[in-house]
Amino acid sequence: MSHPMDYLHHVSFGIGILGVLVIIFGVAACVTRFFRSEIQSARGRNVEEDRKRVRHVLGYYLLLGLEILIAADIIDTLMKPSVQDLIVLGAIVLIRTVINFSLNAELRSEKHALTPALAYPRGEGAERLL
């Protein structure tokens, strides 16, 4: 018979895998966008706004992935809360929180710098600007 903690371990592991997949997906999507914009740059187009958008999107995926990984760490530590495990969890959460805060601050500053065309990349919402 399986112990309930075994289920929590599997849930924690699955959540951790999800966090990693979110980060991998974000990196893959941004690499694709990056290469597209660099091809456009080679053709003489100004791609500065595209580059900023790629950084913004990548930051979003990194933040989301880190938050999911923190959730997995918390669940995993709750299953075996020794003092050493709690200290390690605290350090992991602290490091990820600092990274999270830094990325959030950078994304906020870049969001304010985005042009209206970049804020509505497919033209949606352009009527709100008038």
Side-chain angles (χ1 to χ4, degrees), residues 3 8 12 14 18-19 24 39 52 65-67 71 74 78 85 89 96 101 105-106 119 129:
H3 193 273
L8 279 179
S12 171
L18 178 63
I24 290 171
I39 289 169
K52 288 178 184 177
L66 284 173
E67 289 170 0
I74 289 169
L78 290 176
D85 290 331
L89 175 65
R96 288 185 179 163
F101 178 78
E106 185 173 339
L129 299 174

Side-chain angles (χ1 to χ4, degrees), residues 68-102:
I68 293 170
L69 288 170
I70 288 172
D73 288 339
I74 289 169
I75 293 169
D76 200 39
T77 300
L78 290 176
M79 294 186 302
K80 50 179 170 67
S82 72
V83 173
Q84 182 177 355
D85 290 331
L86 291 173
I87 291 170
V88 169
L89 175 65
I92 290 170
V93 169
L94 179 66
I95 291 167
R96 288 185 179 163
T97 301
V98 168
I99 291 169
N100 195 340
F101 178 78
S102 299

Side-chain angles (χ1 to χ4, degrees), residues 1-2 7 13-14 19 32 59 81 93 97 105 108:
M1 186 171 158
S2 293
Y7 294 116
F13 183 75
T32 302
V93 169
T97 301
R108 267 194 308 274

